Amino acid sequence: MPRPRTERGPRKIEESRTGRVWWKPGEPHPLDALDEELTTLRDQLPAEIEALLLAAHQTQQHLEALQQIEQADDPTEAFTAADHLAARAVIERFHNRKHEHHLRTIFAIQRRKRLMGRLQAIRAALDLANGLLSEDETLSEEFLTTWREKTVEPMEPEPEPGVELELERTVEPEPEPEPEPAEPEPEPEGTEEIQGVVLSREELRVQHLDEPLTPLVGSVEQSRQLLRAFEAQLPALRSGLVAGNGWIEIFYVPKRHYKKEVIAYGSAWAHHLEHGRPLSPEVEQAIDPRVAACIRQNSPFPKELRDLVYDITRVGPYAKYRWREHKRIYTVSLGLLNDYPEYPFTPAGF
């Protein structure tokens, strides 16, 4: 799936146009805006670390609760109370339904599937977080400890009594001036000597440019791989969270029977075929000519003529619980315990 196209944002660095070839260090330059951005990032970093530590503390509290579950003989005991509450709610709502037992069972299955989906999503998120934390050494515990120490203002030690007086009495002898080193001979213009090797201007222009940039900006390759792997898991994680999604349908059953005028026309047409008796104008004019043509040709009525052929009675309401699983739809009837129609069933008006 292609990524959505994003609009180009405003320039944060103005273009350098006139005089850029003759610019010298120390003179104003549009790239000086990077200093302000670096200062802003330095100011934002402590807040991000604080937010990370807060999230880590909250995660630790949740994990401690999970560790208490792990120490139990049956880890699922922690969910037993929730199961009892849910089962009681099912009984209160559906105790008078024929399939009350099946409803309790399917709801319990779906609760556990959703719980498993949440646990799998949590585990995937923790794996991602642990992987991101393990990539950069600056996110290690040593860095966080050092950062905490830097945020606390150090207390200046009090001088011991008598030490300050002793320091005042002690006079350090003035060091003898060292001989000034001899000035090196100037290199030819456009060259520079590095470790005894004289490099030309052309060589200096490309010096160190073929070396990797990772030591300068850090590596995020592992983080990118972890994020790609996490994104690949998202469809399955979403599917686990909505596993067994169900819904209740209220529906009516349409019952059809022929209109009286259609029955009269059919009977008259049968007598015409058998005895040659002509149809009366009243019978012919009582129905639509298209319906009459279908009767004469003994062909089925098309869907668009059903309202002209049948009287439709909607019987109900009825209810059912349905859920989708592996692209199939399953149904549990919500019929009442004493809801049994007479046999044969004849709706009112038939």
Side-chain angles (χ1 to χ4, degrees):
M1 180 178 178
R3 294 184 178 180
R5 184 177 180 180
T6 56
E7 297 294 334
R8 178 183 294 183
R11 293 187 63 91
K12 67 177 183 180
I13 302 174
E14 298 297 331
E15 294 185 7
S16 178
R17 298 183 180 275
T18 59
R20 63 178 181 273
V21 178
W22 294 275
W23 177 85
K24 295 180 180 180
E27 297 177 352
H29 195 278
L31 289 174
D32 294 340
L34 296 175
D35 296 330
E36 182 178 354
E37 183 178 1
L38 177 59
T39 302
T40 302
L41 290 173
R42 284 173 175 168
D43 295 339
Q44 292 175 349
L45 185 59
E48 289 295 329
I49 296 178
E50 287 288 354
L52 175 61
L53 293 176
L54 177 60
H57 179 67
Q58 294 174 347
T59 304
Q60 182 180 3
Q61 292 178 338
H62 291 298
L63 292 179
E64 288 176 354
L66 290 177
Q67 289 174 352
Q68 294 177 0
I69 296 175
E70 183 183 11
Q71 296 173 359
D73 296 334
D74 183 7
T76 61
E77 288 182 358
F79 309 104
T80 303
D83 279 343
H84 288 331
L85 291 175
R88 186 181 304 170
V90 174
I91 294 174
E92 290 177 356
R93 293 180 59 180
F94 302 106
H95 66 279
N96 59 344
R97 309 286 174 167
K98 298 177 184 178
H99 292 278
E100 179 262 335
H101 167 72
H102 296 129
L103 289 170
R104 280 192 288 116
T105 303
I106 186 58
F107 289 150
I109 290 173
Q110 291 175 353
R111 281 199 310 276
R112 280 163 175 76
K113 283 186 175 181
R114 293 186 178 186
L115 175 61
M116 289 180 61
R118 289 199 301 271
L119 294 177
Q120 291 169 356
I122 292 171
R123 177 164 53 85
L126 289 177
D127 290 341
L128 174 62
N130 290 327
L132 294 175
L133 289 170
S134 65
E135 178 178 18
D136 196 342
E137 61 181 7
T138 58
L139 294 177
S140 62
E141 183 63 29
E142 291 80 5
F143 169 76
L144 295 179
T145 303
T146 305
W147 179 82
R148 293 192 196 99
E149 293 175 353
K150 288 183 178 180
T151 56
V152 179
E153 296 182 359
M155 298 179 61
E156 296 182 359
E158 298 181 359
E160 298 181 4
V163 174
E164 185 176 354
L165 182 60
E166 185 68 24
L167 291 175
E168 292 179 356
R169 293 178 180 178
T170 305
V171 179
E172 294 289 341
E174 296 182 0
E176 297 181 0
E178 297 181 359
E180 296 182 0
E183 295 183 0
E185 297 182 1
E187 299 291 341
E189 186 177 355
T191 63
E192 182 177 343
E193 182 178 354
I194 299 178
Q195 296 181 353
V197 180
V198 178
L199 300 179
S200 65
R201 179 177 299 176
E202 289 75 13
E203 292 173 326
L204 289 172
R205 288 174 181 168
V206 296
Q207 185 185 19
H208 302 308
L209 299 186
D210 58 345
E211 298 177 6
L213 298 177
T214 301
L216 309 180
V217 298
S219 174
V220 293
E221 184 59 31
Q222 178 180 336
S223 297
R224 294 178 63 185
Q225 293 178 0
L226 290 169
L227 288 174
R228 283 195 293 266
F230 185 75
E231 290 175 352
Q233 297 180 65
L234 285 179
L237 294 176
R238 293 193 187 100
S239 177
L241 291 174
V242 299
N245 258 2
W247 64 94
I248 292 177
E249 287 186 5
I250 307 296
F251 64 98
Y252 292 81
V253 178
K255 296 293 183 179
R256 300 192 296 262
H257 62 93
Y258 290 109
K259 293 179 177 292
K260 295 179 179 179
E261 52 269 25
V262 174
I263 295 176
Y265 188 94
S267 177
W269 181 252
H271 282 81
H272 171 73
L273 295 178
E274 184 176 356
H275 305 289
R277 184 182 304 170
L279 279 68
S280 64
E282 294 81 4
V283 173
E284 288 188 351
Q285 295 174 3
I287 65 173
D288 189 279
R290 294 171 295 175
V291 176
C294 292
I295 295 175
R296 291 195 300 269
Q297 298 170 7
N298 196 24
S299 60
F301 299 107
K303 292 182 179 180
E304 59 269 18
L305 298 181
R306 284 181 178 177
D307 292 339
L308 302 175
V309 176
Y310 302 105
D311 283 326
I312 301 177
T313 302
R314 292 164 56 86
V315 181
Y318 300 107
K320 55 188 174 183
Y321 177 76
R322 313 191 79 182
W323 74 96
R324 190 186 304 274
E325 193 170 345
H326 301 300
K327 297 185 178 181
R328 294 184 180 274
I329 295 180
Y330 300 91
T331 302
V332 176
S333 172
L334 296 179
L336 300 174
L337 286 171
N338 57 353
D339 193 3
Y340 292 96
E342 299 177 358
Y343 185 82
F345 175 63
T346 304
F350 276 66

